[in-house]
Amino acid sequence: MEKFNFKFLLFCLVIFVFCSNPVLLADWNTGDPHKMHFPQEPDPTGWDICLNHQFLADDFMCSETGPITDIHFWISWQGGIEGQVQHWDISIRKNTLAGQPGQILWTWNSIGNVNIRWYGQGQQGWYCPLNNYLNRPDHMMFYQVNITGIQEPYTQTQGEIYWLVIRASVMPGPGDPAVGWKTSKNMLPGPLWGNPAKWSINGTTWQTINTGTTSSEYHDMAFVITGTPPAPQMDFGDAPEGTTALAYPDIGVFGRFPTCMTVGPANWVQHTNFGAYFGLIVDFELDGNAGLCQGASCFPPYDQDECFADGDAGLIMPQSFTIDQLLNYVTCPQSTGSPLGIACQTAIWGQNIDIDVHNLMPSGTTAYVNVLIDWNRSGEWSGTSFCPTAGTPEHVLVNFPVPPGYQGPLSTLGPPAFLIGPVPGYVWARFSITETPVMVPWDGSGTFADGETEDYLLLVIEGQPELDFGDAPDPTYPTLAASNGAGHAIVGGILMGSAVDADVDGQPSANALGDDVAGVDDEDGVSFVTNPLIPGQWAQVQVDLSNCAAGMNIYLNAWIDFGADGLWSQSGDQIFKDLMLTGGSIYSLLYQVPFYAQPNSATFSRFRISTLAGLSYTGLAPDGEVEDNLVNIGQNKSIKWMQPPDRTSNGIDIKIDQMRRIADDFQCTSHGYITDIHFWASWYEDRVGVINKINVKIFSDDPVGPGGSDPCNTYSKPDELLWHRDFQSGSFSMQPEGEPLYEGEYWWDPVSQMLIPYGDRQIWRIEMDIPWLEAFEQKGSATNPEIYWLSIEAETVQGELGWKTRDWPGHFMDDACLSAGSEPPYMW
C-alpha cells in the first residue's frame, strides 16, 4: 500500500505540471448523467490501444439534444511507465454509410479543465496497431481523463450517431512513455455497441482494431459523453456565418454576420419572449439558422428560419431569394423573386419594401424596428458605402418605434425612405424588432428579452453604373468581366492618380497598357520606384491618393505575380492586404520581394483601392479604382543557391526538432563565402512556439556509385562535417510569408512515419546571418561544380517545427536525408 501511495503521488505531481486546471472537479462516476446510448466503462482486465501518433475512434449515439460540455475517457501507460501528455487531439466526426469516421464536425480548442485521476487496477494488455505489437500482461494501473467546461462545445442531435476521435502527443522521456485508450467492458464475446473501434495513421483511412491472434477480437473504447441540458427555445437569425459559409458565392465572400452561438467569428442575436414579432407566428430554435449552426458546415442550407411566405416570414416585399446546395442564387420556394430596387436610387416603404409587424407586448411597451442591409457585400453589417449623391449607411432603419398594440405593415407607420447602396447584386438584410432600442453603431447582434429577427437575401439591380476595369493580359490574369475581372464603380473622390475613366469591359493587353489607350490615360496612380525588383530585397512603390477626398479611409490591396506564372493566387503574391490609407496624400510604401521571385522575368501587378476592405484580385467593388502594371524582376547575384518552398496544399513540412535533423544537397558553381542562410518552415497545427536554437551544418558529399562510401551504393548522403554553427535565440529572425493557405499543407514526422493532412497553413521564413569571420568558404565553378549538404535541426519549446519541401516541379540530385537521435556519428 505504501508503494502504491508513493506512485500515485508522483503521478499527481506529473498531472499538476501539464493540466490546464488541475483541480479534482467534474469527475464522472458510475450512475452520473450522460448524453449517449449508455456509458462505456473501462474493462479492468481489457486492453489499452496506443494513442501516440495515431488516431483512435469509437462511435456513440446521442441520447439528448444539446451541447457536449464534458468528455470523459480512460487511459493507461505502456508498461506502467508514466509520462506527460503534451497535447490531446480530440474531435467529433460524422458517421459515414460505411460505418466509420467521416467529416470533422468539431475539434477541441484546448479551452477547458483537464483533470486526470487514478481510477483502478487490473492485469491489462497493450496493443499498438501501427506495428501490430501485443503484450499481455503489460501494466496494472489505469486512470480517468476528465475534460470539462468546454467553452465552445459541439451541439449534438438526439438519435444521431457520431464518432469520438482521440490522438495524443506525449513528451519524450525515459523509457519512451506511451499512453493508450482503454477498451470498455462491452466487447466480444459480450455485446458491442454500433461499429467496433477504428484506428488510423492519417485520420482519413480507417482500420478496425483487432487484438485477436487466432480469431477476430473487436472492441469498444471506454468513454462517456456528458453536457448541460438543452437550452430554452429562443429565436435567432439565419444569415450565413462561418469560415465555410459563402454569403456571396459569385465573389467568394464568406459570411461574418452575427447569427450562430456555436460558430464564429461574430456574436449572435437572440430573443426569448415573443410579444413583438414579424409575420403570423414565431418559430423556436436552439441556435441560428433554425438550429443548424453545428460545426463548420452549417451553411448551406440557407434561410432555414424563414425564406418568404413560409408561414413564419413577415416580409411583404420584395420577394426574397436564397442560395441552394450547389451555391447558386435561387428564389425562395414561395417566391418568384423581385428586386429591392436600382443601385443608388431611393427605396420607399410600401413601394419597394415592407414587412408585417406585431407589437403585443404587455404594459403598453413600445417596440423598436431596426433594419440592416449589406450594401457593399462584405459579409458583415458595418459602415457606409457611397453613391455619387450621398452615402448609404448599412443601418437603414434605426430604432423606429412601433406603438403598443399595433399590427400591420410597417409602411403604415411612415418609416423614412433610404438610399439603396451602389453595388448591384444580392445582399443580406436583417430585420429585428426588440423591446428596447439598440446601441448605435449596431452590427446586428445582441440578447433581447422580447422580439424576433428575420434575415433575407434581397436583390439590388444595376442601373447604368460606370465601371473601371484592369488591363493585365487575359488569359491568364482575370481582367475581362467574363473572367470575373476586377471592376470598380466610379464614385467621385475615390481614385488613384489624376483621373479614372469608365470602361465597358476589361482592357487586356500584352504590356498592361490597354486602359491607357482606351479613353483617358488614367494609369498614373501607381509608380514603381524600385524597378527591376530584386529577389530577397526590399522594394518601394508610390501610390497617389492626392485626389481622393481628404480624410477618407481607403483600403489598398495589391498583388505581384512573383512567380511570373500568370497567377496572383500564390500565398506570397499579395504584398498589401487591407492597408488603410487616408485620402489627400501620396504614399511611398515598402514591401519585400521574396527570394523565390522568378529572376530576369517580366510580370504583372494589380493594385486596387476602395472603401471596401477584403477585396480579392477579382470581382466588383462599390467604389475605387484598379491599376495593372508591367513590372520587371531582376537577379540577385548574391543568391548562390535557391530551392523555393512549395506554397501549395501539396507541400509537406518535415519535423526537424527533438533530435531530428534533415539534410539536403546543393551545388556551388561560384567560389565564395556563405554569409546568410534562409529556409522556409511551418509550425504543426500553426501552434507557434519558441525556437531556442537552430543547429546548422554543412557536409561534403558522399556520392552514389563506386566513388561513394555506401556499401550498397544506392543513394548519396552527407559525408564529412565541414562547418557548423549554433544560431541561438536572437541571432536569427522569423517572419510570416504570405497569407495562410486555405487548404493547409501536410505535416510529416519521419521518425513515427506519421503523415497528417491539413497539418498547418502558415508559411514562415527563417533568416540566419553569418558573421564574416565565421562564414563557410564554398568552392566550385561553373565548369567544376562542388556538391555540399546543408543540415538543419531546431530546438523548440511549446511547438513543433517542420522544414518545408521545395516547389514542384524541381529536383536536384538525390532526395533529402534524415538523421535521428544523438550525434555524432551521423547515420543518414
Side-chain angles (χ1 to χ4, degrees):
M1 179 62 73
E2 291 179 355
K3 290 183 179 180
F4 166 74
N5 287 337
F6 178 70
K7 185 174 185 179
F8 180 54
L9 176 60
L10 287 178
F11 178 78
C12 290
L13 290 174
V14 170
I15 298 307
F16 182 84
V17 171
F18 83 89
C19 287
S20 60
N21 190 358
V23 291
L24 298 177
L25 296 175
D27 300 334
W28 188 88
N29 298 292
T30 302
D32 286 352
H34 58 85
K35 290 167 62 70
M36 56 190 291
H37 49 275
F38 54 79
Q40 295 185 181
E41 299 187 60
D43 183 353
T45 60
W47 293 85
D48 283 274
I49 316 299
C50 180
L51 280 169
N52 286 33
H53 307 300
Q54 55 195 337
F55 296 90
L56 303 186
D58 198 14
D59 55 350
F60 66 97
M61 177 183 288
C62 169
S63 61
E64 181 183 79
T65 297
I68 295 174
T69 59
D70 309 301
I71 298 174
H72 315 266
F73 57 97
W74 284 266
I75 63 168
S76 288
W77 295 91
Q78 182 183 10
I81 301 173
E82 295 163 4
Q84 180 175 338
V85 176
Q86 186 178 29
H87 175 67
W88 295 106
D89 186 344
I90 299 176
S91 63
I92 293 175
R93 308 194 184 194
K94 274 188 176 182
N95 180 47
T96 68
L97 294 176
Q100 63 183 25
Q103 177 188 353
I104 298 175
L105 301 173
W106 173 88
T107 57
W108 183 44
N109 59 9
S110 300
I111 299 177
N113 304 319
V114 180
N115 169 51
I116 302 180
R117 63 165 177 163
W118 178 83
Y119 197 84
Q121 60 184 355
Q123 278 199 358
Q124 301 152 70
W126 179 267
Y127 175 52
C128 182
L130 186 62
N131 56 15
N132 201 30
Y133 172 78
L134 293 102
N135 186 43
R136 175 181 284 278
D138 182 83
H139 55 276
M140 292 289 292
M141 305 296 178
F142 61 97
Y143 307 88
Q144 183 188 64
V145 180
N146 299 283
I147 299 176
T148 61
I150 296 172
Q151 295 187 17
E152 295 182 7
Y154 176 71
T155 300
Q156 59 176 353
T157 303
Q158 183 175 351
E160 289 289 324
I161 295 176
Y162 304 93
W163 287 81
L164 176 66
V165 180
I166 303 178
R167 184 182 60 176
S169 297
V170 176
M171 291 287 288
D176 292 328
V179 67
W181 190 358
K182 182 160 297 302
T183 57
S184 75
K185 296 176 182 177
N186 311 99
M187 70 173 195
L188 291 177
L192 273 176
W193 188 90
N195 291 285
K198 313 283 185 182
W199 74 279
S200 173
I201 188 64
N202 57 13
T204 56
T205 303
W206 296 91
Q207 302 179 54
T208 300
I209 294 172
N210 181 10
T211 57
T213 54
T214 59
S215 62
S216 296
E217 188 175 89
Y218 302 133
H219 300 273
D220 283 333
M221 307 310 296
F223 69 100
V224 179
I225 299 293
T226 61
T228 57
Q233 290 183 317
M234 296 175 286
D235 178 77
F236 297 81
D238 58 0
E241 178 186 15
T243 57
T244 62
L246 275 169
Y248 305 113
D250 57 324
I251 56 176
V253 172
F254 292 87
R256 299 184 296 275
F257 300 108
T259 296
C260 300
M261 288 194 299
T262 53
V263 175
N267 291 315
W268 66 91
V269 63
Q270 72 179 51
H271 307 264
T272 52
N273 294 291
F274 310 104
Y277 55 95
F278 300 118
L280 296 176
I281 61 171
V282 179
D283 57 359
F284 309 121
E285 51 222 11
L286 296 172
D287 202 347
N289 202 30
L292 294 182
C293 288
Q294 298 179 7
S297 300
C298 50
F299 301 92
Y302 294 76
D303 286 299
Q304 291 301 292
D305 192 5
E306 59 276 313
C307 199
F308 186 81
D310 61 359
D312 171 44
L315 188 66
I316 299 172
M317 64 175 70
Q319 296 191 25
S320 60
F321 299 78
T322 187
I323 302 171
D324 66 14
Q325 297 280 359
L326 299 178
L327 300 178
N328 297 314
Y329 296 108
V330 295
T331 59
C332 285
Q334 298 80 17
S335 167
T336 58
S338 61
L340 170 64
I342 298 174
C344 290
Q345 293 193 7
T346 301
I348 300 174
W349 287 90
Q351 297 182 24
N352 302 87
I353 187 170
D354 213 350
I355 193 167
D356 181 47
V357 63
H358 302 259
N359 179 10
L360 301 180
M361 291 188 295
S363 304
T365 303
T366 297
Y368 298 88
V369 173
N370 285 271
V371 179
L372 298 163
I373 304 180
D374 183 20
W375 296 132
N376 61 12
R377 309 184 79 209
S378 65
E380 59 188 354
W381 293 299
S382 63
T384 299
S385 298
F386 292 88
C387 288
T389 57
T392 58
E394 297 198 345
H395 197 168
V396 302
L397 188 62
V398 182
N399 291 324
F400 184 76
V402 177
Y406 179 79
Q407 300 189 72
L410 186 65
S411 60
T412 303
L413 299 175
F418 55 91
L419 195 62
I420 298 173
V423 183
Y426 296 92
V427 292
W428 282 97
R430 169 158 292 177
F431 297 74
S432 290
I433 183 169
T434 59
E435 81 282 0
T436 58
V438 302
M439 297 291 291
V440 178
W442 188 51
D443 66 352
S445 65
T447 300
F448 300 97
D450 210 318
E452 185 186 16
T453 287
E454 295 188 353
D455 298 338
Y456 299 94
L457 186 62
L458 307 181
L459 176 62
V460 174
I461 61 175
E462 182 176 356
Q464 288 293 327
E466 292 189 318
L467 297 176
D468 172 67
F469 285 94
D471 55 8
D474 184 344
T476 57
Y477 300 102
T479 297
L480 295 167
S483 304
N484 194 26
H488 294 254
I490 297 176
V491 176
I494 310 175
L495 73 162
M496 290 183 284
S498 59
V500 55
D501 68 346
D503 307 310
V504 296
D505 200 345
Q507 305 294 318
S509 67
N511 295 320
L513 297 175
D515 205 13
D516 298 4
V517 299
V520 178
D521 182 1
D522 64 339
E523 297 278 301
D524 60 351
V526 177
S527 302
F528 284 89
V529 179
T530 305
N531 195 10
L533 311 179
I534 304 302
Q537 294 187 5
W538 287 90
Q540 183 179 4
V541 65
Q542 186 171 281
V543 178
D544 183 358
L545 301 183
S546 60
N547 289 306
C548 280
M552 177 181 290
N553 289 332
I554 303 292
Y555 292 100
L556 171 66
N557 286 275
W559 299 261
I560 298 177
D561 176 15
F562 289 117
D565 55 3
L567 302 171
W568 287 309
S569 57
Q570 299 287 4
S571 63
D573 286 348
Q574 186 165 13
I575 58 173
F576 301 117
K577 181 180 181 181
D578 290 340
L579 178 63
M580 182 178 284
L581 306 174
T582 303
S585 300
I586 299 176
Y587 292 89
S588 292
L589 306 173
L590 294 176
Y591 60 95
Q592 189 166 31
V593 182
F595 284 92
Y596 52 76
Q598 184 65 37
N600 301 320
S601 65
T603 189
F604 293 88
S605 69
R606 172 159 289 175
F607 281 65
R608 303 185 71 179
I609 65 162
S610 176
T611 60
L612 173 64
L615 292 183
S616 175
Y617 50 84
T618 61
L620 296 178
D623 50 44
E625 185 181 1
V626 54
E627 289 194 10
D628 298 340
N629 286 282
L630 175 69
V631 62
N632 296 307
I633 300 177
Q635 182 177 4
N636 187 341
K637 295 184 179 180
S638 66
I639 297 178
K640 295 182 176 297
W641 187 261
M642 167 67 67
Q643 292 186 181
D646 187 334
R647 294 170 290 131
T648 73
S649 58
N650 296 320
I652 305 174
D653 293 283
I654 303 177
K655 183 178 172 72
I656 55 168
D657 57 9
Q658 297 180 349
M659 294 188 295
R660 296 161 174 83
R661 62 194 62 86
I662 302 294
D664 199 13
D665 48 359
F666 65 97
Q667 182 173 254
C668 173
T669 59
S670 176
H671 176 245
Y673 288 87
I674 296 178
T675 58
D676 50 284
I677 296 173
H678 314 258
F679 72 99
W680 288 269
S682 290
W683 293 90
Y684 177 52
E685 294 184 337
D686 294 318
R687 300 171 183 266
V688 179
V690 176
I691 303 176
N692 284 340
K693 180 176 67 176
I694 302 175
N695 180 271
V696 180
K697 296 180 174 66
I698 295 177
F699 297 85
S700 63
D701 178 48
D702 181 3
V704 65
S709 63
D710 179 13
C712 298
N713 296 323
T714 56
Y715 61 93
S716 64
K717 56 186 176 296
D719 189 13
E720 179 185 355
L721 177 62
L722 303 177
W723 177 91
H724 77 275
R725 190 175 193 274
D726 287 337
F727 292 86
Q728 305 291 341
S729 177
S731 64
F732 56 86
S733 64
M734 182 181 76
Q735 56 183 313
E737 186 158 276
E739 286 297 297
L741 299 168
Y742 176 70
E743 295 181 353
E745 296 192 299
Y746 290 91
W747 175 271
W748 187 46
D749 183 348
V751 173
S752 67
Q753 297 290 303
M754 175 177 290
L755 181 65
I756 301 172
Y758 319 114
D760 56 78
R761 296 177 60 234
Q762 178 65 64
I763 299 174
W764 297 83
R765 186 177 72 252
I766 299 176
E767 301 182 340
M768 300 169 288
D769 294 328
I770 305 170
W772 267 105
L773 295 179
E774 300 180 28
F776 173 69
E777 182 182 6
Q778 59 176 356
K779 300 176 181 179
S781 65
T783 57
N784 188 25
E786 187 77 18
I787 303 295
Y788 297 97
W789 287 78
L790 172 72
S791 82
I792 297 178
E793 176 189 4
E795 180 183 294
T796 62
V797 179
Q798 299 176 338
E800 299 177 74
L801 189 69
W803 190 357
K804 188 166 295 297
T805 54
R806 67 166 298 165
D807 69 345
W808 193 262
H811 191 60
F812 174 74
M813 297 293 287
D814 274 332
D815 296 336
C817 291
L818 163 72
S819 174
S822 302
E823 55 170 306
Y826 303 98
M827 303 299 293
W828 298 99

